[in-house]
Amino acid sequence: GTGIAPMRALLQERSHQRKKRRIGSKNVGKNVLYFGCKTPHQDYLYEEELKDFEKEGTLNTLRVAFSRKTEKKVYVQHLLADDADETWTLVEKEKASVFVCGGTKMGSDVSETLRSIVAEAGGMSADEAKAYLDKMSSEGRFVQELWSA
């Protein structure tokens, strides 16, 4: 859950754009958020605010991974892999930007999942998928803000 602060700020800005500047969703693109934490009761930070962003239309999709809610641990990269086709469409066809914020281990796992999605859905080799993500990064479309404890 440590990566939620930058994402929250982005959603607040998008909400402001929609409300005050009357900029429609088409002009700012879709907002899809993957959020991971241990349990919904202990550390699901800003749950109500995120649900409000959904209700008002600022947040199109909210996917939450709780790693300690069930016996089988579910992480953000698992949800991302489940949404591989939609992710590829957003990244390739809609030229979406991807921001990964949080711990270094999570960032590494999410990056690897994204590389796999690009390779499989884009019909690329592992090296081509890496080059694709490197290009996205150089264009400012793939940004990682990661830290370790």
Side-chain angles (χ1 to χ4, degrees), residues 64-85:
V64 184
F66 297 112
S67 62
R68 304 298 188 279
K69 185 177 177 183
T70 62
E71 213 172 288
K72 180 183 176 191
K73 293 182 180 180
V74 177
Y75 295 106
V76 167
Q77 61 269 22
H78 299 135
L79 301 181
L80 187 62
D82 289 345
D83 299 341
D85 291 338

Side-chain angles (χ1 to χ4, degrees), residues 35-45 65-69:
F35 173 73
C37 60
K38 292 180 181 178
T39 66
H41 305 296
Q42 182 182 3
D43 51 0
Y44 187 6
L45 304 175
F66 297 112
S67 62
R68 304 298 188 279
K69 185 177 177 183

Side-chain angles (χ1 to χ4, degrees), residues 50-64:
L50 295 175
K51 288 181 179 179
D52 288 344
F53 284 135
E54 272 188 304
K55 286 177 195 167
E56 72 181 35
T58 297
L59 183 57
N60 301 88
T61 304
L62 174 62
R63 299 275 279 139
V64 184

Side-chain angles (χ1 to χ4, degrees), residues 17 19 25 28 32 54 69-70 75-76 87 89 103 107 117-118 121 133-134:
Q17 289 172 336
K19 292 175 184 174
S25 296
V28 295
V32 177
E54 272 188 304
K69 185 177 177 183
T70 62
Y75 295 106
V76 167
T87 300
T89 298
I117 290 169
V118 168
L133 291 178
D134 288 345

